Amino acid sequence: MAKTAVITGASGGIGAASARALAADGWNVVIGARRVDRLEALAAEIGATAIPLDVTDEDSVAAFCGAIDECHLLLNNAGGALGTASMAEANIDEWQWMWDVNVLGTVRVTKALLPTLVASGDGQVINIGSIAAREPYKGGGGYNAAKHAVAALTRVLRIELLGQPVRVSEIDPGMVETEFSIVRFGGDEEKAAKVYEGVQPMTAEDIADAVRWVASRPKHVNIDQILMLATAQTSAQVVHRNL
């Protein structure tokens, strides 16, 4: 029988691409996100089950996870960045949102589905991190802090589940052209486009390929961490541009 994969933040970007990839590989896919119209369109496209989900809301998480009877793979993809303010000018509301979505959102969903993952006898948790989890950079304070926390909790989960039938992995992408920068810059598409100017970034599908590879490893293999960068990128803010 096909295994079940649960994906958060699945209405676009890496989440949607991963849903398509896993469905193509024969997984039963359950997808959650706030943008229900896009979620339902994706579900119809790939034969997935769509359930509304706001990872910042306890009741939403409880309803989402309560509707899931079986889970072999949890892909914690919901997350994002807001702003590029310096520490001196830090916007506390932006920091709070980034912490709630990236960190507590991951904790809420993982905690709720962990018993189901253990009961599967062969569970996996894959957390989508970021190069921001490994390398602090100017203007990235809030996002750096949140993704460093995701990396830490991923490692703690791996340690605490030793001996249990659940593998834990972290995939840290660098520059990926999705809606990420549009959200970060408050909907300013022109400013977001400049992030990718003169460079070929990775795509959501590139990251989804890594997800499907990690998810397809045999039970005795745990891929602890993957760092993925575009060829033209060597660190968070060092990029070769053909301008």
Side-chain angles (χ1 to χ4, degrees):
M1 294 179 63
K3 293 182 177 181
T4 298
V6 177
I7 304 173
T8 70
S11 61
I14 294 170
S18 296
R20 291 187 177 97
L22 292 173
D25 287 347
W27 290 77
N28 291 324
V29 178
V30 179
I31 51 177
R34 292 176 299 171
R35 296 178 293 187
V36 178
D37 54 339
R38 296 176 61 167
L39 196 68
E40 291 178 344
L42 177 61
E45 173 194 334
I46 65 174
T49 300
I51 307 173
L53 173 64
D54 179 352
V55 299
T56 70
D57 184 276
E58 294 279 0
D59 292 337
S60 177
V61 171
F64 177 80
C65 296
I68 296 170
D69 296 324
E70 185 178 65
C71 180
H72 299 86
L73 169 63
L74 169 60
L75 176 62
N76 282 308
N77 172 72
L82 285 181
T84 56
S86 68
M87 292 296 298
E89 298 177 345
N91 183 315
I92 300 304
D93 289 338
E94 290 179 348
W95 276 64
Q96 183 66 59
W97 181 87
M98 286 185 279
W99 190 266
D100 207 13
V101 173
N102 292 283
V103 184
L104 297 183
T106 297
V107 173
R108 289 184 185 102
V109 179
T110 302
K111 179 182 178 181
L113 287 179
L114 196 52
T116 309
L117 286 158
V118 172
S120 76
D122 183 16
Q124 283 184 280
V125 178
I126 301 176
N127 291 335
I128 299 297
S130 169
I131 190 173
R134 301 178 181 225
E135 181 186 344
Y137 56 85
K138 181 180 179 180
Y143 190 55
N144 285 147
K147 285 303 189 182
H148 271 73
V150 171
L153 70 86
T154 302
R155 185 59 186 162
V156 170
L157 186 65
R158 171 83 165 102
I159 293 167
E160 292 179 347
L161 288 176
L162 185 64
Q164 296 293 314
V166 180
R167 290 172 282 161
V168 182
S169 304
E170 175 185 348
I171 300 176
D172 292 335
M175 183 181 288
V176 184
E177 188 168 10
T178 62
E179 295 170 292
F180 176 86
S181 291
I182 295 174
V183 172
R184 185 170 209 169
F185 297 127
D188 189 332
E189 295 187 12
E190 183 177 352
K191 190 173 183 180
K194 288 188 177 299
V195 173
Y196 313 107
E197 189 175 18
V199 64
Q200 182 176 355
M202 294 184 293
T203 66
E205 288 72 24
D206 293 326
I207 312 307
D209 279 343
V211 169
R212 77 197 307 180
W213 179 76
V214 171
S216 67
R217 295 308 85 203
K219 187 176 181 179
H220 69 285
V221 176
N222 191 100
I223 307 300
D224 283 57
Q225 293 181 320
I226 294 177
L227 173 63
M228 296 181 66
L229 301 179
T231 303
Q233 180 182 23
T234 56
S235 61
Q237 294 188 324
V238 179
V239 178
H240 176 73
R241 300 180 188 274
N242 294 307
L243 299 175

